[in-house]
Amino acid sequence: MNPKIEEKIAQMRCENRPVKQIAKKLGVNRDDIEAVIKKWISYTDSYLKELVKDRKVKNPKADPGLIVNMTTNVEELLKNDDVLDYIALHLSDYHDRLMDCIRYKIYVYLKGKNKS
């Protein structure tokens, strides 16, 4: 899929938008959007599992939405305890919009690291 459309999908997921609304707004097939999200999941899953594998969740009610949306540096984002707690708690929830947002940011970060 076009990287610009993919970025718009991620941006709308970060804004807590459902796939149905994104599809309507962007004029993209829902299945295509879900395929893009699945790509992010498969690309980031092992990295995220490794990141939080021995983590003891300190704040089970963590809601890092604002932090995730305001932080562009992924390395800084992954130092935040609320973000890590959220990832640990929602790693297997493949319909979580904020997790899709986090996964996209990590996807872009990992792609960039693999190029260099």
Side-chain angles (χ1 to χ4, degrees), residues 3-19:
K4 291 277 187 219
I5 302 253
E6 201 168 324
E7 188 177 337
K8 282 187 171 133
I9 292 168
Q11 180 183 352
M12 292 178 85
R13 288 305 267 181
C14 291
E15 295 168 356
N16 200 21
R17 308 264 191 229
V19 169

Side-chain angles (χ1 to χ4, degrees), residues 33-46:
I33 293 171
E34 287 171 2
V36 166
I37 293 170
K38 281 185 182 123
K39 177 179 74 172
W40 301 340
I41 290 168
S42 65
Y43 199 88
T44 61
D45 236 19
S46 59

Side-chain angles (χ1 to χ4, degrees), residues 1 13-15 30 34 36-37 41 48 51-52 54 63 67 73 76 81-82 84 86 88 101 110 112 114:
M1 178 169 284
R13 288 305 267 181
C14 291
E15 295 168 356
R30 278 176 68 171
E34 287 171 2
V36 166
I37 293 170
I41 290 168
L48 290 175
L51 186 68
V52 298
D54 294 325
D63 182 9
I67 297 161
N73 182 323
E76 284 298 314
D81 280 335
D82 281 351
L84 292 171
Y86 193 86
C101 178
L110 293 175
N114 288 342

Side-chain angles (χ1 to χ4, degrees), residues 81-106:
D81 280 335
D82 281 351
V83 172
L84 292 171
D85 284 351
Y86 193 86
I87 291 169
L89 289 167
H90 298 271
L91 186 62
S92 61
D93 183 352
Y94 297 124
H95 299 284
D96 186 285
R97 297 169 191 170
L98 186 57
M99 273 305 294
D100 289 346
C101 178
I102 292 168
R103 285 178 190 283
Y104 175 75
K105 289 179 181 234
I106 293 170

Side-chain angles (χ1 to χ4, degrees), residues 61-78:
K61 294 188 182 338
D63 182 9
L66 186 63
I67 297 161
V68 170
N69 283 311
M70 292 181 68
T71 308
T72 54
N73 182 323
V74 172
E75 290 170 359
E76 284 298 314
L77 191 66
L78 297 179

